[in-house]
Structures are given as C-alpha cells and as structure tokens.
Amino acid sequence: MEKILRVDMGAEGGPKTTLVPPGEYAGLGGRALTSAIVSKEVPPLCHALGEENKLVIAPGLLSGTIAANSGRLSVGCKSPLTGGIKESNAGGMASQTLAKLGYAAIVLEGKPKTDNLYTIFVNKGGVKIESDNTLKGLGNYALIEKLKAKYGDKVSYMSIGPAGEMKLAAASIACTDMECRPTRHAGRGGTGAVMGSKGVKAIILDDTGVSMRPPKDAEKFKEANKRWVDGLKKHPVTGEGLAAYGTNVLTNILNEAGGYPTHNFMWGRFEGHTKISGETEAALEKERGGNPTHGCHRGCVMRCSGIYNDKYGNYLTKQPEYETVWAHGGNCGIDDLDTIAMLDRLDDDYGVDTIEMGATIGVAMEAGLAKFGDGEAAINFVKQVGKGTNLGRILGSGAAVTGKVFGVERVPVVKNQAMPAYDPRAVQGIGVTYATSPMGADHTAGYAVGSNILGIGGKTDALSPEGQVDLSRNLQIATAAVDSTGMCLFIAFAVLDQPETFQALIDMINAFYGLNLNGDDVAALGKSVLKNEREFNIKAGFTSAHDRLPGFFSRDALPPHNIKFKVTDAELDQVFNW
Amino acid sequence: MKIEFVLYASLTQFVSGSVAGKPITLEIPDKATVNHVLHMMAIPSDMALILLINGRSGTKEHELSEGDRLAIFPPIAGG
Ligand code: SF4
C-alpha cells in the first residue's frame, strides 16, 4: 500500500486526482490512518458537509493479504451526526480490493462546484472519474445493478443511496459483499452524507490482474496465519457460535439478562424476543433456502453473516444483524422477522444506518407518531426517508434531531449518536464505552458486553459500576489497534481468551512488514489513535460534559433489575487517564 | 422445590423436545446447585456455559432457591 489517492472534487474544471506516497502516514492502516489524516488535515470546527471536510477510505494493515478475516475497511471524516471525528468500519469486499490495488487510502477532498454526480473507477491501470447524472436518486440495489452492466460483478462497489445524496446525518456508505450486493455498510455517523457532499455516488474498485500483497517474510507469515486460523477455529465462539446463529444469537441472552432495550429504552426485556431471536432467524433462513452461515468478505473464517429470503424463497436481504434486529425489533416493539428484514433491506437500499434508523423510529413512536409494535408504520417511516419527504428528512437526521423536533426527553444518544442494543443500566461497562468513546454511543468501540454478560475476556458484574472504567479503557485501546489492522473485531473473542492467538496476530504483522512489535507496541498504537481522536474532538468543542449518558439513565430505574447507571462522572473522566 | 429452567441455542440438543427460550418447570431437591441441575438434565458440565439465574450471572456452584429461573447458554457472542 505504497500510495494515497487524493481526489479534489472541487478543482476548477472538475475533479482532479493526485497520487502521493504515504509520507508521514507510512506504516498506518485502517482507523489509525483515517484518524491520523482527519485529525491532521480537517479543521475541527469546519462544517462536516463543507469543502474542508475530507472522506478518508482506508483498508487495514493486513487487508489484501491471505490473513484470515483481514478485510475490514475504515471510513473516516468529521461526522455530520456527532460533530466529532468518525471512523466507521465496514465489511464487504472493498478493503481487500483497495489494498491489493496498492492504495493505503483514498481521500475525497473539496466541494464540487456543480451538482453533478460522479463515479470513481480504480483499477491497475489508474483512476477514471466520470460524471453520470443518470444515477441520481437510485437506491443502492438499483445502482449496483446498473453499474454491473458496465463494470461486471467481479469488482467491488462502494456507494450511497438517496439518503447520502440528500446529505442526511444517518446516511451510510454501502460496500458490496461476495455476491456483489450492497449489504455491508459503513453505517455509523453519517459517512454517506459526507460522500454525498463530495458529489460521489459510487467508487468502483477492480483488482483484475492484481495479486495478493506479498509479505516481507512469506514463510513466517504463512506459518503465523496458520496458527491464527487454528486459534479462530478452536475458540467456541469464533469457531462455531458465530457461524451457527450469527450475531443475533445475542437477542435471547440480553433479554434474559434484562439488558435488552425495549420500547425506546423503557424496559430491559421484550416479550416477543424468541420470535426474533438468532435461533428462530437461522431456522427460518434454512427453511426458506437462505443461509445462516456466510462470510461478508473472502477470507472470513468466522462467517457470522447470512442470507435472508422472503416467504417465497427469493432473496430479500442479508441476514439482519443483532443490532438491526434489535433496533427495528424490540426497540420498536416489533416481533416479526419479515418486517424487520424488510426494514433492513430498505435501510440498505436508501443507505442509512440500521442502528440510527431503528433508534429514531423508537423515538418517533415514543413521540406518538405511531404505536410501538406497528411494523407497517415503521416501514412507512423508512420509505419517507428514501423519498425525502419533510418527515423523512427529519427521521433521516437521526434520533437526536427527531427527539428535538417532536419534544421527546428519552432520547438514547451520546454525542448525538444513537445507542446500540444494550441498555447501559443493565450492562454498565458498555455504558462507560457509550459515554466516553470519541465516536459517540458505539458498542464496537469497547465491547464490555463480552466481559459483563458473555464471560469473554474475564468476568465483571454487569450490574455493578465496579471495574467498568478499567474494562472499557482497555477495550477501547485494544479496539483502536484492531480497527487499524483490517481485522474483523470479532477476532477479539478468541484473542482475549487465547494469548497464543493474540501472538499469532502480532507475528503476522511482524512477518508481513519485517517488524519486531510486541503486545506493548500494539497497545501504544491503540492509545495513539485514541489520542488523535480525542484531540480532534476537544478542538471541535467537546468537553467532559459530552462524555456523559443522557440523564434518564441515572434517574430512571430499568426493570426487571430496577437498576440505574451508577458509574460516576468522576469515574468517567478517568477513562482516558492512562 | 420447583424452578424454571430454560435452554438456548445449541443446548436444546441435549434435552429432547426442548425449544430454545421455552421454559419448563423442574422439580429439584432443596438446596440443589446449578451443577446438580446440569447433571440431572445431562448437559455436559465441562462446557464453558453461560449461566443466568434470575437474569444475573451465576456459577455452577450456585445454590438455587424455590421459584428461581435458571437460563443456560452455550459460549456465544456477537455484536
Ligand atoms: S465474522 Fe462476520 S462481520 Fe466479521 S468478517 Fe466475518 S462475516 Fe464479516
């Protein structure tokens, strides 16, 4: 990954490309690279949709290699949703393809002078940018079908739907999967709106005639990758659990633990949980000729994703993830998998974050715009986002905006980003991560659920504030490092429990780059990423007051445990004190 | 005494006729532990199970009380 492609979308006479060596960013990948570029080059006080913001797309350090599960992509920018720095992580094929083509990053800069819509095509021969206004308004599915007629289905696509074109703060960037469907999204934080503000509808990455990236020490790399794969296969979660039921296996356990946010974070248990659980979903997928065991990119051995067919056996959407099933399911009182799958399909098509969208509908239901449990109303809400009606644009701006417009107090956001599928009162460790992550409420930023509920990476009492700050700090550091490697975060389940698997990962990086890193260096990398991100946010106007959960979490007790969030403000302020 | 017993995910294979998430009532001796129940239901106790007693994390040595709900999961994760 010896070059960075910079595209000035605002250049006189149309977009202008420059190829530059990584320079001061050499040796960085994924989130480390996106956050380094954004924190160095984007003025923190700029408007997220303005010419000074940049959209940085970076494969991880090990993407484009034979390393298992190395195909995760980082997308960074100043977030139009949070106003802070953003790294949104996506699966799909784009990361492997971009890395194989030799790019450490693509950086979209400037602001177009016209309202033309562009495609950017990258292959081994170079870069071609074309204006194509016939793509305007297309949903991701129709867009990819249209582009496939020109570029085929052996390439990777990154694209935005109408929500991105409308620059809505919940807009995502879709990445195509192994079947060339736009199902894997850089969902969080409105990255799609930033791509829309740059006038780019799609990026097409074609790695025809390009080989895998060669390691410095091929033998050692191969050997370390073998230990790596063995380690992932040996752990019961990464080896079997994720493949059998997908991430939605969590519905039942979070419900049982009383931490499943129901009816917009009113209760911790949902009556209809078994109807929408991972067990039910996997069985239904099999029955309809879908597939509950599927990888989102080539080289994934954990295979948590799947294919969801409708009742006639036709493809409807990818297997909705736990977060999606929760956001549109229990959070909105909806207990019908087909309705949830349709919402997932619509979200992917219009290009919006499923978590933000579900949380927003929960807030809208709380406001009385529809009754909890009304699946048809939920579908209609998302359709309005796609159409860009006035109500749709409000909803597409996320839960915080919707709460303000309709006068709702119980709005589950931090830094304006909606909380995912764990109530921080019953899973106190994840509350610390929600409150303090530079990303806003984000479960992946420090997945304390593992230790609090699942007994992975040690055991902590989910209902007690004790030890949660240390837990979240360590996880946030480790996650920032993992997000820089291109590895899927789910490798952490094996890495946290099996020191030899963690060593295999470090050995792979060392063999690939000819380095001599150890565990401390990995932690140092994680800390430096967080430091960049925190500094950006501070300059953007964030203070410790932004590292807090909404007040109702420490005021209103959550049934069934009747518990409040008990980590104190003073403790929260210690998270980044290492 | 009676407890409510519920299995999830792949564990239903060990108890014929059981359905994930559907609780059954078990009659167990007073002061029985979770281990006792695992043995009684022929669930391999060497598996790294996730045990929730009334929604709170518990251990195999936990002594159960009348009316408790014992939920058992195999090692799982997601996110
Ligand atoms: S485990 Fe799931 S999210 Fe991770 S790379 Fe595989 S399919 Fe994608």
Side-chain angles (χ1 to χ4, degrees), chain A residues 338-355:
Chain A
D338 283 333
T339 302
I340 294 166
M342 177 54 80
L343 287 161
D344 180 72
R345 162 77 185 221
L346 293 172
D347 288 346
D348 282 358
D349 199 28
Y350 302 141
V352 283
D353 175 23
T354 58
I355 297 176

Side-chain angles (χ1 to χ4, degrees), chain A residues 386-530:
Chain A
K387 282 189 201 133
T389 63
N390 288 348
L391 175 62
R393 282 173 187 258
I394 292 168
L395 299 172
S397 302
V401 166
T402 300
K404 268 201 184 116
V405 171
F406 294 102
V408 176
E409 186 205 346
R410 193 168 55 234
V411 179
V413 298
V414 177
K415 302 181 180 74
N416 281 332
Q417 181 167 285
M419 278 178 201
Y422 316 87
D423 195 300
R425 290 165 287 194
V427 194
Q428 304 244 331
I430 203 69
V432 176
T433 299
Y434 288 166
T436 59
S437 165
M439 299 298 143
D442 178 346
H443 62 299
T444 65
Y447 194 64
V449 182
S451 164
N452 275 192
I453 303 282
L454 309 168
I456 291 175
K459 248 184 160 186
T460 37
D461 180 355
L463 302 179
S464 156
E466 203 111 323
Q468 307 293 7
V469 164
D470 288 343
L471 175 68
S472 176
R473 177 192 302 120
N474 292 334
L475 288 169
Q476 289 198 53
I477 292 168
T479 303
V482 170
D483 284 344
S484 306
T485 61
M487 284 293 166
C488 169
L489 193 54
F490 295 157
I491 59 123
F493 300 129
V495 164
L496 286 168
D497 281 347
Q498 299 166 185
E500 71 281 8
T501 308
F502 180 40
Q503 190 57 48
L505 174 58
I506 297 176
D507 291 347
M508 274 197 300
I509 298 173
N510 285 337
F512 194 87
Y513 286 97
L515 297 170
N516 209 359
L517 304 177
N518 57 31
D520 291 344
D521 298 316
V522 174
L525 168 67
K527 286 179 186 171
S528 74
V529 173
L530 288 167

